[in-house]
Amino acid sequence: MIITVPQLGEGLREILVIRLLKRIGENVAEDEPLYEAETEKSLVVIESPCSGVLTHWYITEGEHALIDAPVAEISPQTTTTSSNATRLPQRIPPRVRALAQQRQIDNETLESLAETQGRALSEADLEKWCASQNPRADDFEEFPLSDSQRLLNRRGFGDSLFPVPATVKLPISWNTVKKALDVQAHQNPDLMLTEFQVIAYAAARAVRENPRFKSRLSGREKLRQYKELTLGFAVKRGVDDLVTAIVPNADSLCFTDFSKEVTNAMKQVVRGKAPAANEATTLLISYMASYGITDAVPAITAPAIAVLFVGAPQPFPEEDMASLVLTFDHRIMNGVGAALYLHAVQKNLELLGK
């Protein structure tokens, strides 16, 4: 298996290899530290995504490596080491297996969950995963659309069964984003943070003031509003392959927990074990700043009812500005609500920098 440089944070393009932790010919256990690398923000230990024998290094210490570039080759072991033999039972305790059986979770899914934790899987981890799947009836409320919204949908959109996209745009100061990143990096020195994480957190928290963004239509005249936001964001895998990673309960997490969930979701995507977006994934973020894309009109992608595009900063006489572009389903909300949401994102970014 060829091991590549993982996407450690949205917007990162390369790493600096500091130290190789294994020698060619040595056994490597899954999740065992493989090498140390430095990013723009911190030093990070990269773990092996699989077990086997290290047969080749494609990188050397002191070398820069691009995201997705080959790092090492690990071949399957011919025998099972004693450390590997004891690893799985420690990571899935009997009480967790019993709970999984009660929840009718198959062994393959259970082992995939264990692989993403880097520690023993707990009952709380399992309950949290269950909550992130298709929502139960007690995870949402349903109530009728307002008379004015029903009239608009009927007369303006012909009671369309498909999203009716509308788009609004708000320029924001990139200095506000950078200040928020600096303050949060100082307060959380153990986290590897990027501009994407502070913007995504501000976007998730803004939903608390604008709950329509965690809603969808139920039939033609009812609105289903989820109690928590499941936030989705695209992660690049391969040349032009995008996979949606999700963060459940995104609007109720503190910044530290939110950032950890984002990092964990990215790791799951890299390993091909990311949970699929479900019907509660109502808001997506498209972050294109790292590719130099300054403007776009994002398209609504199921199951989301709104997509927030974040563009690269552009120089202006007073300061660099970036575009927040929101495409939303007009059957659920209107332009004023979308504008208020964008201003709430901007306000939350300012609060993160204080």
Side-chain angles (χ1 to χ4, degrees):
M1 178 179 181
I2 303 298
I3 311 302
T4 59
V5 179
Q7 177 57 266
L8 299 169
E10 190 72 30
L12 291 179
R13 296 186 178 182
E14 66 177 17
I15 61 170
L16 173 63
V17 180
I18 301 298
R19 187 160 64 104
L20 305 180
L21 302 177
K22 302 294 289 186
R23 291 189 298 241
I24 293 176
E26 286 189 314
N27 290 333
V28 180
E30 186 175 353
D31 295 333
E32 184 178 3
L34 194 59
Y35 61 99
E36 292 180 354
E38 185 179 83
T39 69
E40 296 176 354
K41 294 294 178 181
S42 65
L43 186 69
V44 60
V45 176
I46 311 296
E47 300 170 343
S48 174
C50 65
S51 60
V53 178
L54 180 65
T55 56
H56 188 77
W57 280 114
Y58 293 97
I59 55 175
T60 58
E61 294 180 351
E63 176 186 358
H64 286 85
L66 296 175
I67 301 301
D68 293 329
V71 170
E73 184 173 354
I74 296 178
S75 300
Q77 293 173 321
T78 56
T79 60
T80 302
T81 64
S82 59
S83 61
N84 285 340
T86 59
R87 189 173 182 82
L88 189 58
Q90 293 175 345
R91 288 168 50 160
I92 309 178
R95 65 181 184 278
V96 177
R97 287 191 180 276
L99 180 60
Q101 289 180 350
Q102 294 176 14
R103 296 286 189 270
Q104 297 182 332
I105 300 172
D106 60 79
N107 286 332
E108 183 178 356
T109 300
L110 185 64
E111 290 173 4
S112 295
L113 288 171
E115 289 173 359
T116 64
Q117 296 299 319
R119 54 174 172 76
L121 189 67
S122 69
E123 291 170 288
D125 294 329
L126 198 58
E127 293 285 9
K128 183 177 180 181
W129 179 85
C130 290
S132 72
Q133 303 308 295
N134 287 332
R136 304 183 305 270
D138 58 352
D139 290 332
F140 58 82
E141 297 177 340
E142 288 192 351
F143 46 86
L145 285 171
S146 66
D147 291 340
S148 59
Q149 187 68 51
R150 280 186 293 171
L151 183 63
L152 174 64
N153 291 355
R154 189 177 303 117
R155 292 182 175 177
F157 311 136
D159 274 336
S160 174
L161 296 175
F162 301 98
V164 178
T167 302
V168 293
K169 173 181 171 181
L170 178 70
I172 61 168
S173 164
W174 197 248
N175 288 333
T176 300
V177 176
K178 293 195 293 185
K179 184 177 179 182
L181 177 60
D182 290 342
V183 169
Q184 295 305 316
H186 179 74
Q187 294 178 1
N188 300 277
D190 295 332
L191 297 180
M192 183 181 62
L193 300 178
T194 65
E195 288 90 351
F196 168 76
Q197 285 166 298
V198 295
I199 294 173
Y201 180 75
R205 295 291 284 191
V207 172
R208 301 179 71 171
E209 303 171 40
N210 304 269
R212 285 290 173 99
F213 285 87
K214 53 183 177 182
S215 305
R216 69 172 57 260
L217 283 182
S218 177
R220 284 188 170 90
E221 297 191 346
K222 283 187 177 181
L223 195 68
R224 174 176 293 185
Q225 184 169 297
Y226 299 98
K227 295 180 180 178
E228 303 286 349
L229 170 69
T230 299
L231 179 70
F233 58 95
V235 177
K236 176 177 167 291
R237 191 171 66 184
V239 178
D240 192 26
D241 185 21
L242 294 179
V243 178
T244 300
I246 63 171
V247 178
N249 308 321
D251 56 333
S252 60
L253 297 173
C254 68
F255 180 80
T256 301
D257 289 342
F258 178 87
S259 298
K260 290 179 179 178
E261 288 294 329
V262 168
T263 301
N264 183 53
M266 289 182 175
K267 287 182 178 179
Q268 291 185 56
V269 168
V270 170
R271 295 177 180 180
K273 301 177 187 271
N278 56 50
E279 68 172 48
T281 310
T282 52
L283 177 63
L284 298 179
I285 296 182
S286 175
Y287 185 80
M288 300 295 288
S290 57
Y291 297 97
I293 306 301
T294 58
D295 232 325
V297 178
I300 297 176
T301 305
I305 56 90
V307 183
L308 178 64
F309 166 88
V310 183
Q314 302 179 73
F316 281 81
E318 295 184 358
E319 60 179 332
D320 290 352
M321 304 292 289
S323 293
L324 296 182
V325 186
L326 179 73
T327 296
F328 59 95
D329 188 347
H330 213 326
R331 301 174 306 161
I332 295 175
M333 67 192 77
N334 297 299
V336 172
L340 291 174
Y341 170 76
L342 288 182
H343 282 290
V345 175
Q346 183 182 42
K347 181 185 71 174
N348 286 332
L349 283 169
E350 293 169 353
L351 291 174
L352 285 172
K354 292 184 178 180

